[in-house]
C-alpha cells in the first residue's frame, strides 16, 4: 500500500495562477536561452523554477497541459537554419542535483537494483566523464565525409549548422578508411576559457571604438552557442570553438559490417583513433566508491581546467547492460549527471564601493548579499571600471547574476532589469579618492581612474606593503592584510623600509598579537632579507613591471644600480621591455624618494646576489619563444614558465609564426591547432625536460 499523503488533503490545491506564471516564466527564459542566446537568469534559477513546476505536476497530474515546459526538452529551432530530423533522438541525462557524495551512491544503488544485483554481486563498471558546459552536436559522416552537423534542438529535430561547424579545427572533416559507412558522432561544442576571455576582450575593443551591434558574452557556453548559430560563417570562424566526443547517434549496424563495441570506453578509444578529441579526464570507475573519488578529484581540478564543466557524467560501461536497462521517456537509465555547485547565481547588490589598488587604480566593487557560487561564498564582485559599470548599469538594490569560474575574481555578469526597484540610483565614479581624498583622474585613453595621492594614500601604502611581502616577491610569511591594516592605520609603517624597523616589542603591543606570533613575524622579516634581484625589483611595485619583466631586466643587466641608471634606449634592448615599461621604470627611478626607499632597504640589510649582464653568460634557450597550452602531467604552468624563463626563453600568450615551440599538455585546444596549422614545433613536458637537460 502506498504511504498516505498526510498533507495534500489538508492543504488547498496549487494556485492555478501560480502554475500559469511558472510556465510563462519558463517559456520566456527558454526562448531567451535557446533561440536568442541571451539568457536573463542563471541556469540554477531556471532549474529551480522547472523543478518547482515539475513537483506541482507530479503531485497533480491533472494540471499537466501538453504545452507545459516540462513536456518538451529544448527550444524551437531558429527559422533561419534548416531543420534536421535526428535519425536517432538526442537524449538528455537525468541530473543528480545532490552535489555531495550521495549523488554517486544513489545512482550506483539504482543501477544495481534495476540490474537485479544482490549485495554480493561484483561492482558495476562505469565510465566517468566531465560534463562539458557547451552545446550538444550531432556530426554525421557518410563514407568518411562530414556531411551534416546539427544541434540538439528539442531532441527530435535540430538545426543544420554544418557551415559553422566546418570552421572548428578540432572536428575532422574526413575519417580514416576503417570508419563505418554511416557514423554519427555526438559530443559537446564548447569554448575554452582563454579563447572566451580573448574574444570578450576583442568585443570590448570593438564597443570602445563605437562599432554598432557588438556585445560581450556572458559566459563561454553562451559565446559558443552564439558562434554555432551565427548566420555568417565568416564571423563564426573568428569565434574559436573546441569539441569533445562522448557518444554515438546512427551507425552502420554490426550485421552490415559496422563495429560492435562491447563497452562505452572501447567506443571512445575508437573515436579517438578516428581523429575525434576525447577528454583525457575520461576514466573507468568501479562501484560507488570510485565514482565518488572521481567526482572529488575532477572537482578539485575544476578551477584549473581550460574549460567550464558543470558536473561529471557516469555511464554504465557495458553496452549489453546499457541495452538491458533501456530508457525512461527521454533519459537513459544507465547514465546520470552529477553536478558541481553552479558557477552563476542570483543575488542582490547591497552597495557599490570603490577600492583603491596599489598603483592608485580605483575599482568599483559590488557588495553582495552572500551567495554560494562555484563552490565558495561570494560577497564582493568586481565591476572592473567606470565604463563597464556604466555599460552593465548595476545599481544598489538590483538583482544581478554573479559568476565565478576558474581562478578569476567573481564578476557581475548582468542585471535583471525587471526586478529593479523604482528608486535605484545610477552609479557614478567619484572624482576624489575615497580613502585619502586626493583628486582622482582618468587620463586620456585609459580605462581607469587613479588616485593621485601616491604613498600619501594609506590604501596605496597598504597595498604596496602587501605586494612587497607577497610570496612571489620577497616573501614575509604571516604578514597578512589584517596586520598591515593595523600597522598603517597606527602610522607605525609609513614607507617600505619601516617594515624592517619593526621590533618584537612594537609587534607584540598590537591588538590580538601573541608573543609567539610577533616572534614569527620578526623571524620571517629576517628571512626575507636574503632575496633575489628579480623578486626585489618585482616587489617594488613599479607600474607595468610584472614578474617576467623583472626577471628579464635582472638577467639582462645583472645589477640593480645599472637598471636604476639605464637610459630608455638601453632599457628597450631588453627582450620584454617596450616603450611603456621603459618609461615607467625611468619615471620611478627618477623620483629621489624612490631611490631613497631602495637605499634604506639595502641599509636595513636586504641583499641579493648581483650577476653579470646576460650577454656574457648566454642562456641555452635565449631568443626562443614558447607558448604553453593544456595541462602538463607534473608541472604547473607557472613552474614550466619559470623553468623556461630561467633558461632565457620568452613565454608568450598566443601562437604566431614567430613562436619557436608550443609546449602542449592534456586538453590542449586552439593554440595547439594553430601551432599545427603554422607548422610550429610542438613538444610535451618530457621534451621540455630533455631540452633543458641537453641544453638544446
Ligand atoms: S551523454 C545518452 N556525456 O549534457 C546521454 N552528455 O542532458 C546523452 N553533456 O545535452 C548525453 N557532457 O550536451 C553526455 N560527457 C557527456 C556530456 C554530456 C556534457 C551534455 C550534453 C547533453 C546534456 C545532457
Amino acid at each position: 500500500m502506498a504511504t498516505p499523503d498526510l498533507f495534500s488533503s489538508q492543504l488547498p490545491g496549487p494556485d492555478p495562477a501560480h502554475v500559469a506564471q511558472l510556465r510563462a516564466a519558463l517559456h520566456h527564459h527558454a526562448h531567451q536561452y535557446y533561440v536568442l542566446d541571451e539568457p536573463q537568469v542563471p541556469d540554477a534559477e531556471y532549474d529551480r523554477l522547472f523543478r518547482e513546476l515539475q513537483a506541482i505536476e507530479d503531485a497533480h497530474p491533472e494540471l499537466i497541459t501538453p504545452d507545459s515546459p516540462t513536456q518538451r526538452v529544448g527550444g524551437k529551432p531558429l527559422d533561419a537554419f534548416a531543420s534536421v530530423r535526428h535519425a536517432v533522438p538526442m537524449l538528455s541525462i537525468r541530473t543528480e542535483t545532490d552535489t555531495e557524495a550521495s549523488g554517486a551512491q544513489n545512482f550506483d544503488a539504482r543501477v544495481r537494483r534495476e540490474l537485479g544485483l544482490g549485495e554480493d554481486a561484483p561492482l558495476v563498471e562505469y565510465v566517468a566523464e566531465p560534463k562539458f558546459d557547451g552545446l550538444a552536436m550531432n556530426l554525421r559522416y557518410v563514407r568518411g565525409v562530414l556531411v551534416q552537423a546539427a544541434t540538439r534542438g528539442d531532441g527530435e529535430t535540430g538545426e543544420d549548422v554544418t557551415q559553422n561547424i566546418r570552421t572548428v579545427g578540432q572536428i575532422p572533416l574526413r575519417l580514416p578508411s576503417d570508419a563505418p559507412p554511416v557514423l554519427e558522432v555526438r559530443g559537446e561544442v564548447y569554448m575554452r576559457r582563454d579563447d572566451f576571455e580573448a574574444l570578450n576582450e576583442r568585443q570590448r575593443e570593438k564597443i570602445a571604438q563605437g562599432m554598432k551591434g557588438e556585445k560581450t558574452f556572458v559566459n563561454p557556453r553562451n559565446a559558443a552557442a552564439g558562434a554555432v548559430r551565427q548566420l555568417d560563417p565568416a564571423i563564426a570562424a573568428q569565434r574559436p570553438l573546441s569539441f569533445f566526443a562522448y557518444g554515438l547517434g546512427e551507425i552502420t549496424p554490426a550485421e552490415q559490417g559496422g563495429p560492435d563495441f562491447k563497452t562505452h570506453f572501447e567506443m571512445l578509444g575508437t573515436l579517438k583513433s578516428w581523429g575525434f578529441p576525447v577528454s583525457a579526464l575520461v576514466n573507468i570507475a568501479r562501484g560507488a566508491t570510485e565514482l565518488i573519488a572521481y567526482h572529488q578529484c575532477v572537482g578539485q581540478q575544476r578551477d584549473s581546467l581550460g574549460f567550464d564543466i558543470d558536473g561529471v557524467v557516469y555511464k554504465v560501461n557495458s553496452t549489453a547492460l546499457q541495452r538491458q536497462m533501456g530508457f525512461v521517456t527521454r533519459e537513459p537509465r544507465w547514465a546520470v549527471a552529477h553536478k558541481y555547485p553552479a558557477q552563476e547565481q542570483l543575488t542582490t547588490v547591497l552597495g557599490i564601493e570603490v577600492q583603491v589598488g596599489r598603483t592608485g587604480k580605483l575599482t568599483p566593487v559590488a557588495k553582495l548579499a552572500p551567495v554560494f557560487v562555484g563552490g565558495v561564498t561570494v560577497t564582493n564582485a568586481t565591476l572592473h571600471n567606470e565604463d563597464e559599470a556604466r555599460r552593465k548599469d548595476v545599481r544598489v538594490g538590483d538583482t544581478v547574476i554573479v559568476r565565478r569560474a576558474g581562478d578569476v575574481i567573481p564578476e557581475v555578469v548582468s542585471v535583471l532589469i525587471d526586478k529593479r526597484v523604482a528608486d535605484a540610483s545610477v552609479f557614478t565614479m567619484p572624482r576624489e579618492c575615497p580613502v585619502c581624498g586626493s583628486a582622482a583622474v582618468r587620463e586620456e585613453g585609459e580605462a581607469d581612474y587613479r588616485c593621485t595621492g601616491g604613498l600619501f594614500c594609506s590604501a596605496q601604502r597598504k597595498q604596496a606593503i602587501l605586494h612587497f611581502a607577497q610570496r612571489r616577491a620577497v616573501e614575509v610569511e604571516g604578514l597578512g592584510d589584517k596586520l598591515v591594516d593595523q600597522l598603517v592605520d597606527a602610522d607605525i609603517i609609513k614607507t617600505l623600509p619601516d617594515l624592517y624597523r619593526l621590533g618584537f616589542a612594537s609587534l607584540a603591543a598590537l591588538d590580538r598579537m601573541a608573543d609567539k606570533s610577533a616572534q614569527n613575524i620578526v623571524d620571517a622579516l629576517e628571512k626575507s632579507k636574503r632575496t633575489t634581484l628579480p623578486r626585489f625589483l618585482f616587489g617594488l611595485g613599479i607600474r607595468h613591471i610584472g614578474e617576467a619583466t623583472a626577471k628579464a631586466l635582472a638577467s639582462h643587466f645583472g645589477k640593480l644600480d645599472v637598471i636604476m641608471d639605464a637610459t630608455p634606449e638601453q632599457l628597450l634592448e631588453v627582450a620584454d621591455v617596450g616603450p611603456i615599461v621603459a618609461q615607467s621604470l625611468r619615471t620611478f627611478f627618477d623620483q629621489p624618494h624612490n631611490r631613497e626607499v631602495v637605499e634604506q632597504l639595502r641599509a636595513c640589510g636586504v641583499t641579493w646576489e648581483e650577476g653579470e649582464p646576460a650577454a656574457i653568460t648566454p642562456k641555452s634557450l635565449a631568443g626562443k619563444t614558447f607558448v604553453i597550452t593544456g595541462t602538463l602531467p607534473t608541472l604547473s604552468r607557472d613552474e614550466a614558465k619559470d623553468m623556461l624563463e630561467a633558461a632565457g626563453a620568452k613565454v608568450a600568450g598566443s601562437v604566431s609564426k614567430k613562436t619557436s615551440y608550443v609546449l602542449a599538455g592534456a586538453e590542449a585546444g586552439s593554440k595547439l591547432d594553430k601551432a599545427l596549422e603554422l607548422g610550429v614545433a610542438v613538444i610535451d613536458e618530457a621534451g621540455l625536460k630533455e631540452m633543458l637537460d641537453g641544453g638544446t
Side-chain angles (χ1 to χ4, degrees):
M1 206 189 89
T3 330
D5 187 340
L6 294 174
F7 297 101
S8 60
S9 58
Q10 292 159 19
L11 285 174
D15 176 4
H18 179 60
V19 175
Q21 238 171 26
L22 277 174
R23 284 186 188 142
L26 285 164
H27 277 306
H28 171 76
H29 291 311
H31 182 76
Q32 290 289 333
Y33 179 104
Y34 288 108
V35 181
L36 304 179
D37 293 328
E38 281 190 19
Q40 292 172 335
V41 293
D43 291 4
E45 175 68 7
Y46 182 87
D47 291 347
R48 196 185 60 73
L49 296 173
F50 194 91
R51 279 198 303 273
E52 186 182 342
L53 179 60
Q54 220 168 19
I56 296 175
E57 290 179 348
D58 282 352
H60 300 273
E62 72 280 5
L63 292 178
I64 299 178
T65 57
D67 67 342
S68 173
T70 56
Q71 302 304 298
R72 134 182 108 113
V73 192
K76 66 166 182 271
L78 263 190
D79 297 328
F81 289 106
S83 292
V84 176
R85 194 157 177 88
H86 296 301
V88 177
M90 287 182 83
L91 301 168
S92 65
I93 281 192
R94 226 180 65 80
T95 303
E96 189 64 67
T97 42
D98 182 348
T99 56
E100 302 299 316
S102 44
Q105 274 151 356
N106 294 345
F107 174 62
D108 182 54
R110 201 169 39 242
V111 168
R112 295 185 71 85
R113 202 165 52 240
E114 281 165 13
L115 289 174
L117 297 176
E119 269 181 25
D120 300 333
L123 297 175
V124 176
E125 187 170 276
Y126 300 100
V127 174
E129 307 172 358
K131 186 168 190 301
F132 311 105
D133 203 5
L135 61 158
M137 193 63 58
N138 186 69
L139 305 173
R140 186 175 172 87
Y141 293 82
V142 175
R143 284 180 292 279
V145 177
L146 176 67
V147 293
Q148 188 177 67
T151 62
R152 177 161 171 274
D154 63 4
E156 301 285 339
T157 309
E159 292 166 330
D160 185 334
V161 290
T162 316
Q163 284 207 66
N164 290 342
I165 288 304
R166 277 192 215 283
T167 68
V168 181
Q170 288 189 335
I171 292 180
L173 299 177
R174 252 174 198 291
L175 301 181
S177 57
D178 60 334
V182 172
L183 172 70
E184 289 185 358
V185 172
R186 288 179 178 171
E188 201 83 347
V189 169
Y190 66 97
M191 192 176 285
R192 291 180 52 89
R193 286 179 185 149
D194 50 1
D195 288 335
F196 168 72
E197 298 297 338
L199 171 63
N200 260 359
E201 194 55 47
R202 290 200 298 275
Q203 291 302 104
R204 275 192 284 271
E205 272 163 29
K206 286 186 190 165
I207 295 167
Q209 288 160 9
M211 283 174 73
K212 292 274 167 297
E214 298 293 344
K215 59 167 194 173
T216 55
F217 298 93
V218 298
N219 57 38
R221 193 209 37 227
N222 191 233
V228 164
R229 308 168 85 244
Q230 169 57 243
L231 287 169
D232 180 354
I235 298 179
Q238 295 162 13
R239 311 245 169 107
L241 296 172
S242 302
F243 181 76
F244 278 127
Y246 54 61
L248 293 178
E250 192 188 4
I251 182 165
T252 309
E255 308 84 67
Q256 293 171 29
D260 183 16
F261 299 119
K262 299 286 183 240
T263 66
H264 180 75
F265 198 73
E266 179 197 348
M267 183 268 289
L268 291 179
T270 308
L271 291 184
K272 202 170 167 184
S273 77
W274 289 337
F276 293 94
V278 173
S279 168
L281 295 169
V282 172
N283 229 323
I284 301 267
R286 291 177 187 83
T289 317
E290 289 189 13
L291 291 180
I292 295 167
Y294 183 84
H295 185 256
Q296 282 173 354
C297 167
V298 173
Q300 276 159 11
Q301 295 174 62
R302 185 186 188 194
D303 278 353
S304 55
L305 295 176
F307 47 86
D308 282 3
I309 61 173
D310 56 352
V312 290
V313 178
Y314 311 135
K315 299 172 182 174
V316 170
N317 194 18
S318 151
T319 48
L321 292 184
Q322 286 183 0
R323 279 190 294 272
Q324 189 183 328
M325 294 183 74
F327 304 88
V328 264
T329 54
R330 288 161 180 277
E331 297 166 351
R333 295 156 82 142
W334 44 264
V336 79
H338 191 186
K339 294 276 218 170
Y340 291 122
Q343 289 179 321
E344 288 178 9
Q345 288 291 358
L346 283 184
T347 187
T348 48
V349 177
L350 304 177
I352 299 177
E353 271 183 11
V354 173
Q355 288 180 356
V356 186
R358 177 173 53 82
T359 55
K361 178 183 163 186
L362 303 190
T363 306
V365 175
K367 298 277 153 186
L368 306 170
V371 61
F372 192 66
V373 201
V376 300
T377 300
V378 166
T379 53
N380 291 320
T382 180
L383 295 169
H384 299 290
N385 56 42
E386 182 182 42
D387 293 347
E388 283 281 300
R390 189 173 295 161
R391 197 172 59 75
K392 288 178 181 163
D393 190 19
V394 180
R395 306 184 189 182
V396 177
D398 274 348
T399 302
V400 293
I401 301 178
V402 262
R403 171 178 161 84
R404 182 194 163 272
D407 299 326
V408 292
I409 25 177
E411 67 164 354
V412 171
V413 173
S414 59
V415 173
L416 271 62
I417 295 291
D418 308 358
K419 299 207 171 175
R420 172 161 290 166
V421 291
D423 58 349
S425 57
V426 181
F427 168 77
T428 45
M429 217 43 192
R431 294 297 183 266
E432 64 256 356
C433 171
V435 175
C436 72
S438 302
V441 292
R442 179 176 173 180
E443 309 243 320
E444 180 98 12
E446 296 239 343
D448 299 313
Y449 273 88
R450 276 172 205 283
C451 159
T452 52
L455 288 182
F456 167 73
C457 175
S458 67
Q460 290 189 53
R461 235 183 301 155
K462 287 176 185 174
Q463 294 300 322
I465 293 163
L466 286 168
H467 177 81
F468 184 74
Q470 69 174 298
R471 193 179 48 80
R472 285 148 52 213
V474 304
E475 184 170 25
V476 184
E477 235 188 290
L479 192 75
D481 48 1
K482 298 273 176 326
L483 182 53
V484 170
D485 279 352
Q486 281 196 63
L487 291 167
V488 172
D489 291 340
D491 259 352
I492 300 174
I493 293 191
K494 295 202 194 60
T495 68
L496 276 184
D498 289 342
L499 205 51
Y500 291 102
R501 298 182 186 118
L502 281 173
F504 171 82
S506 58
L507 281 164
L510 292 172
D511 273 359
R512 290 188 300 276
M513 176 69 80
D515 284 1
K516 177 97 181 23
S517 320
Q519 189 56 49
N520 286 345
I521 300 283
V522 171
D523 294 346
L525 279 165
E526 198 52 41
K527 190 171 159 207
S528 75
K529 286 183 184 172
R530 267 180 313 282
T531 186
T532 65
L533 181 52
R535 281 169 172 271
F536 181 81
L537 200 52
F538 169 63
L540 289 177
I542 306 166
R543 229 181 130 193
H544 304 301
I545 309 296
E547 266 181 295
T549 311
K551 282 178 193 162
L553 286 163
S555 68
H556 185 91
F557 293 107
K559 296 181 170 57
L560 182 61
D561 289 332
V562 184
I563 299 174
M564 294 205 298
D565 293 332
T567 63
E569 293 71 37
Q570 288 169 329
L571 289 167
L572 285 171
E573 284 169 18
V574 183
D576 231 24
V577 172
I580 294 176
V581 174
Q583 186 51 50
S584 173
L585 275 163
R586 277 285 26 105
T587 310
F588 185 88
F589 288 118
D590 283 346
Q591 310 246 0
H593 69 257
N594 287 332
R595 286 181 174 256
E596 181 68 25
V597 164
V598 170
E599 276 333 299
Q600 289 184 17
L601 284 168
R602 278 172 156 164
C604 290
V606 179
T607 60
W608 56 86
E609 230 168 83
E610 301 243 287
E612 292 306 317
I616 302 170
T617 51
K619 300 277 176 74
S620 62
L621 296 180
K624 301 264 190 283
T625 304
F626 283 71
V627 172
I628 309 176
T629 178
T631 312
L632 301 173
T634 70
L635 294 173
S636 73
R637 283 187 191 220
D638 279 345
E639 285 165 344
K641 185 164 173 252
D642 277 353
M643 287 166 70
L644 284 165
E645 285 174 352
K650 250 181 74 174
V651 178
S654 59
V655 181
S656 73
K657 273 185 286 191
K658 291 193 188 135
T659 310
S660 323
Y661 296 95
V662 166
L663 171 58
E667 318 287 20
S670 56
K671 290 179 187 168
L672 182 56
D673 294 343
K674 189 82 190 277
L676 298 175
E677 188 188 314
L678 296 176
V680 172
V682 177
I683 59 164
D684 60 5
E685 185 181 305
L688 168 71
K689 289 181 172 161
E690 238 165 65
M691 208 177 250
L692 292 173
D693 290 345
T696 311

